[in-house]
Amino acid sequence: MHIPCIATETAFDVQCPVCGRGFLLLTEPTLSLQRGSMRRHARRALAAQHDQPLASTGRNVHSDEVFDLPGWDGEPEGSSVTLDFTASLRLRTSH
């Protein structure tokens, strides 16, 4: 399952442990244990983005638009409201 997220400068769910940038996770897991697991995975995935070739160019390694952090193996949870919100953000940021 992928974790949709977007960079934010205000309230955030997780911070990249490498650069400190904040991200809002666009999901609604129902269990706090699941939420903690998702956050831990998101932090690892964000840190891994700094190891990609783009990181060596000095440009921002994290997208300013909605993007998916791949590879989380937790239960897929989310409401239709979350999915609608994510789709709306993708449409607005893709223009």
Side-chain angles (χ1 to χ4, degrees), residues 18-92:
V18 176
C19 66
R21 192 165 186 196
F23 295 88
L24 186 62
L25 303 179
L26 304 176
T27 59
E28 292 183 29
T30 55
L31 303 172
S32 61
L33 178 62
Q34 183 180 22
R35 186 92 174 145
S37 175
M38 183 181 291
R39 285 180 178 175
R40 281 188 298 279
H41 174 78
R43 282 190 291 273
R44 285 192 300 269
L46 289 166
Q49 289 181 345
H50 287 272
D51 294 332
Q52 297 172 358
L54 177 63
S56 63
T57 66
R59 295 185 1 212
N60 189 0
V61 298
H62 306 296
S63 176
D64 290 328
E65 300 176 358
V66 174
F67 65 97
D68 291 328
L69 294 173
W72 188 64
D73 60 359
E75 292 294 320
E77 293 287 338
S79 69
S80 60
V81 172
T82 301
L83 297 175
D84 290 345
F85 176 71
T86 303
S88 173
L89 277 175
R90 287 181 197 276
L91 287 174
R92 278 189 266 148

